[in-house]
Amino acid sequence: MPSDLPPLFQPALILHGGAGAIHRSTLPPDLYAQYHASLLEYLRSTRALLDNGASALDAAVHAVALMEDDPLFNCGRGSVFTAAGTIEMEASLMVTSVNAAHPSEGIVKRGVGVMGLRNVRHPIKLAREVLERSGGKDERDADGGQGRDRGTDGGSMHSQLVAPYVEDVLARQWGLEFMPDEWFFTQRRWEEHLRGLRGEVETVAMSQGTVGCVCLDRAGGLAVATSTGGLTNKLPGRIGDTPTLGAGFWAEAWEEEERKRAVAVSGTGNGDSFLRTAAARTACAMSRFSTPSPSLAEAVSAVAGPGGELQRSAGDRWGSTGEGQGGIIGIEAELEDPVVLETGDAQDRTKLRKGKVVFDFNCGGLWRAWVEDSGNGEAIERVMVFRKEYQ
Amino acid sequence: MPSDLPPLFQPALILHGGAGAIHRSTLPPDLYAQYHASLLEYLRSTRALLDNGASALDAAVHAVALMEDDPLFNCGRGSVFTAAGTIEMEASLMVTSVNAAHPSEGIVKRGVGVMGLRNVRHPIKLAREVLERSGGKDERDADGGQGRDRGTDGGSMHSQLVAPYVEDVLARQWGLEFMPDEWFFTQRRWEEHLRGLRGEVETVAMSQGTVGCVCLDRAGGLAVATSTGGLTNKLPGRIGDTPTLGAGFWAEAWEEEERKRAVAVSGTGNGDSFLRTAAARTACAMSRFSTPSPSLAEAVSAVAGPGGELQRSAGDRWGSTGEGQGGIIGIEAELEDPVVLETGDAQDRTKLRKGKVVFDFNCGGLWRAWVEDSGNGEAIERVMVFRKEYQ
């Protein structure tokens, strides 16, 4: 829903479509062109929403739902198969706000993950229902949904829910769209599954990872949405970083001297390494606790960049097992103290602030799309997979 | 297994048996005496193991397995029931070491969580199998267990696994002990479940939370073990903080100037609040990243103490919904730089170093047992639930 709060920020956004051992030699031009076209399209439609005043949460869910319908990406339709030949999808959402007056401050649950999904068409939309349903019209009337009366909205204060119950019972009650197994089946992912079982090496770089989107809206709200089919040939019941608060996603705001800061990040790559380093929460903790206070860009590089926390977590197995490989995208925003804001001159008060879009990765490639500020007020759309342009 | 490394540390340990709205008026003397006796017994037997040279991992698993068999605690036998009248247990383990030569450095996976368990007698022992089985005799020979050849030990690099597969297939293959549903049934938890469904208030303070144990062994290894039945009348499939890396448990070591530091913590309380604040990882991140570097005790208080991060996460719902309530236990250890260690005088090199046992909580009580240093070398056993002695 569009927000009627006064605009304080120029909206910002970044999408990712997976990271991993993607190299020029395994990414033919036609496959590159398909990913590029999809990401550019989803970037544009999400940006249009934000420019029209949509909340960060609406925009991030919109972007990820589009990628869940696109068989190019490892999420929703196009998800990879487990070792047992099944699909088990995961998705997550987290919100925060640099502006205390922003509606996302009213979402008491802050972050959720859903896991083990088989037939929900848009796992990210199920995550949204779980995020917004807290156990009552007013959660204070109902024990916070912690046990007794769960109130009127069918929710609870639970942050993480695994199927079958959340899918077979709750998603049906809440009216989510279901699709049969065949709809999720793609020949490419099935062959990848079979090649994996036979121990063959992949010669074409499909997107292995998670998709994600981080948005900053005009009112200063931040949202991160992440969705995945997981790891090809994972054991059934493996819970990755995507639905795990702090591992594959995080969003947080805090006070500093004369300013409030907010960050939101989404990760993709080797999920078990993200879990072992609590990668998303660790990057945000560096921003918040270290002195001098690093930018989110510096913190993301210290975790997901070359030689960072993720790479070091693989120890001497780095480069031989896939461990530690990945990338993180995010947005950082800051706002002056309300007192400073009130007393500043009129021009300062009407000038739109800007968030900072950040990303880094330590592996072959990270599919990403974002809007860059040219410096003279012009916004430039960017879609990239390597550090340098694809040639 | 006992370690044959030269002893560097005096072993240390702390256990918890749950936190929550425990008050003198709802904790009758006979119930107090039962908890006290159990915790003291498990403290003694775990301490004896550590004094005999057991690894921190062996000792922590031993302590938690004892509590899983004791119907007083909400884990294993004595677990609470979900809203559907089922039991869904969770457990986790994480290891680290302040001493690079310590065997726990060889456990490549570092941390694991298992969830949704119904009939495994000791969830903590299943967690241990998952922790130690990494996908090969030598994980480097097998793609780190990430997909193709899973090697010879039946494991994978997965950090988090949810039932049924991990229980019905893996736990059986690995020879874990199973018990029928009746074994886990306790009349007290069943009545609590029924009272919860009817919306009645509890008048006797059973332990609501998780159990946990943190140990430091003679060689400088740290391990944290945590186990729970979860939240009374939780929705089926709710994943709490206990099996979630960074939320209900964390262990980590890092280099500082001329010293290495290591910390391990276990949490108990309102699990969804622990998830929303990544409580365990946040406390350890404060210790690691803030300047001046706070002690683990200070960081644990900043998260789980009165007015800390957990309490603040409940906002104006604090005190009315149970949100934010909880406690954290932990141990911190530090070791001089290997160069300083080598060049120090002989007495320094043979003197046993001491870890620091820490805890804090923001709610009525935290059941805890630990060994305190009297100051003159004597070790004093302590078992407490409130800030002051029970009277």
Side-chain angles (χ1 to χ4, degrees), chain B residues 212-225:
Chain B
C213 179
V214 182
C215 293
L216 166 67
D217 63 32
R218 296 193 307 176
L222 279 162
V224 47

Side-chain angles (χ1 to χ4, degrees), chain B residues 63-335:
Chain B
V64 167
L66 288 170
M67 291 194 273
E68 285 175 338
D69 272 350
D70 184 336
L72 276 180
F73 300 96
N74 173 17
C75 62
R77 193 177 201 184
S79 287
V80 299
F81 291 87
T82 69
T86 54
I87 283 177
E88 295 184 359
M89 299 176 287
E90 309 177 324
S92 59
L93 277 171
M94 197 157 186
V95 293
T96 191
S97 177
V98 76
N99 176 5
H102 187 274
S104 82
E105 289 271 327
I107 297 177
V108 299
K109 211 182 285 178
R110 293 237 311 116
V112 297
V114 288
M115 4 185 154
L117 308 175
R118 302 280 301 257
N119 296 100
V120 169
R121 177 171 175 181
H122 295 117
I124 199 66
K125 293 187 181 176
L126 176 54
R128 185 182 184 141
E129 295 295 326
V130 174
L131 180 72
E132 295 192 318
R133 292 175 188 268
S134 62
K137 255 184 200 154
D138 177 349
E139 72 285 351
R140 269 158 291 190
D141 67 12
D143 188 34
Q146 288 302 347
R148 290 181 270 270
D149 176 8
R150 283 212 175 69
T152 52
D153 71 4
S156 71
M157 281 301 287
H158 299 341
S159 302
Q160 299 181 156
L161 287 168
V162 65
Y165 189 84
V166 69
E167 177 158 3
D168 294 350
V169 179
L170 299 181
R172 288 192 190 276
Q173 275 175 15
W174 299 339
L176 283 143
E177 190 177 356
F178 279 72
M179 287 298 199
D181 289 348
E182 309 84 80
W183 194 83
F184 293 89
F185 177 93
T186 56
Q187 193 63 32
R188 280 205 283 205
R189 292 301 187 190
W190 183 252
E191 285 167 11
E192 186 181 81
H193 159 65
L194 297 178
R195 285 193 299 271
L197 292 181
R198 291 192 300 262
E200 293 172 21
V201 172
E202 291 298 315
T203 52
V204 172
M206 286 289 288
S207 160
Q208 290 305 313
T210 307
V211 307
C213 179
V214 182
C215 293
L216 166 67
D217 63 32
R218 296 193 307 176
L222 279 162
V224 47
T226 312
S227 184
T228 192
L231 187 72
T232 299
N233 292 338
K234 65 184 177 186
L235 293 178
R238 177 254 197 179
I239 307 291
D241 61 317
T242 293
T244 302
L245 280 93
F249 68 106
W250 190 255
E252 182 179 25
W254 66 92
E255 310 280 346
E256 293 187 356
E257 210 179 319
E258 297 204 339
R259 63 174 180 168
K260 189 169 180 184
R261 285 175 74 192
V263 294
V265 301
S266 171
T268 171
N270 183 289
D272 293 298
S273 300
F274 274 75
L275 284 164
R276 224 175 325 154
T277 57
R281 203 284 163 271
T282 295
C284 297
M286 286 176 176
S287 280
R288 179 172 162 196
F289 299 122
S290 293
T291 314
S293 176
S295 68
L296 182 64
E298 291 166 319
V300 160
S301 291
V303 172
E309 191 91 355
L310 274 166
Q311 180 174 335
R312 287 196 306 275
S313 77
D316 61 5
R317 301 175 305 284
W318 173 252
S320 63
T321 64
E323 269 177 80
Q325 293 196 347
I328 294 179
I329 63 169
I331 298 179
E332 157 163 54
E334 65 173 72
L335 193 61

Side-chain angles (χ1 to χ4, degrees), chain A residues 242-293:
Chain A
T242 293
T244 302
L245 280 93
F249 68 106
W250 191 254
E252 183 177 23
W254 66 92
E255 311 279 345
E256 293 188 357
E257 210 178 321
E258 297 203 340
R259 62 174 182 169
K260 190 168 179 184
R261 284 176 73 193
V263 294
V265 300
S266 170
T268 171
N270 184 288
D272 292 299
S273 300
F274 274 74
L275 283 164
R276 224 175 325 154
T277 57
R281 203 285 162 271
T282 296
C284 298
M286 287 177 177
S287 280
R288 178 172 162 197
F289 299 122
S290 292
T291 313
S293 176

Side-chain angles (χ1 to χ4, degrees), chain A residues 19-324:
Chain A
I22 309 170
H23 299 284
R24 178 63 186 81
S25 60
T26 55
L27 184 65
D30 60 329
L31 190 59
Y32 171 82
Q34 290 175 50
Y35 276 105
H36 191 283
S38 281
L39 284 169
L40 185 60
E41 183 187 333
Y42 308 148
L43 180 74
R44 284 181 177 163
S45 81
T46 309
R47 186 182 164 199
L49 279 184
L50 284 168
D51 286 343
N52 285 325
S55 72
L57 178 59
D58 280 339
V61 169
H62 166 85
V64 167
L66 288 170
M67 292 195 273
E68 286 175 338
D69 272 351
D70 184 336
L72 276 179
F73 299 97
N74 173 17
C75 62
R77 193 177 200 183
S79 287
V80 299
F81 291 88
T82 70
T86 53
I87 283 177
E88 294 182 1
M89 300 176 288
E90 307 177 326
S92 59
L93 277 170
M94 198 157 185
V95 293
T96 191
S97 177
V98 76
N99 176 6
H102 187 273
S104 83
E105 289 271 326
I107 297 179
V108 299
K109 213 183 283 180
R110 293 237 311 117
V112 296
V114 288
M115 6 187 152
L117 308 174
R118 302 282 300 258
N119 295 102
V120 169
R121 176 170 175 182
H122 295 118
I124 199 67
K125 294 186 181 177
L126 177 54
R128 185 182 184 141
E129 295 295 326
V130 175
L131 179 73
E132 295 192 320
R133 291 175 188 268
S134 64
K137 256 184 200 156
D138 177 350
E139 72 284 350
R140 270 159 292 191
D141 66 10
D143 189 33
Q146 289 300 346
R148 290 179 271 270
D149 177 9
R150 284 215 174 67
T152 53
D153 70 3
S156 71
M157 280 301 287
H158 299 342
S159 302
Q160 299 180 156
L161 287 168
V162 65
Y165 188 83
V166 68
E167 177 159 2
D168 294 348
V169 179
L170 299 181
R172 288 193 190 277
Q173 275 176 14
W174 298 340
L176 282 141
E177 190 176 357
F178 278 72
M179 286 299 199
D181 288 348
E182 308 85 81
W183 194 82
F184 294 90
F185 178 94
T186 56
Q187 193 62 34
R188 281 205 283 204
R189 293 300 187 190
W190 183 251
E191 285 167 10
E192 186 182 80
H193 160 64
L194 297 178
R195 285 194 299 272
L197 293 181
R198 290 193 300 261
E200 293 171 21
V201 173
E202 291 297 315
T203 53
V204 172
M206 286 291 285
S207 161
Q208 290 304 312
T210 306
V211 306
C213 179
V214 182
C215 294
L216 167 67
D217 64 32
R218 296 193 307 176
L222 278 161
V224 47
T226 311
S227 184
T228 192
L231 187 72
T232 300
N233 292 338
K234 66 184 176 185
L235 293 178
R238 177 255 198 180
I239 307 289
D241 60 317
T242 293
T244 302
L245 280 93
F249 68 106
W250 191 254
E252 183 177 23
W254 66 92
E255 311 279 345
E256 293 188 357
E257 210 178 321
E258 297 203 340
R259 62 174 182 169
K260 190 168 179 184
R261 284 176 73 193
V263 294
V265 300
S266 170
T268 171
N270 184 288
D272 292 299
S273 300
F274 274 74
L275 283 164
R276 224 175 325 154
T277 57
R281 203 285 162 271
T282 296
C284 298
M286 287 177 177
S287 280
R288 178 172 162 197
F289 299 122
S290 292
T291 313
S293 176
S295 67
L296 182 63
E298 292 166 318
V300 161
S301 292
V303 172
E309 192 91 354
L310 274 166
Q311 179 173 335
R312 288 197 305 275
S313 78
D316 61 6
R317 300 175 306 285
W318 172 252
S320 63
T321 63
E323 270 177 79

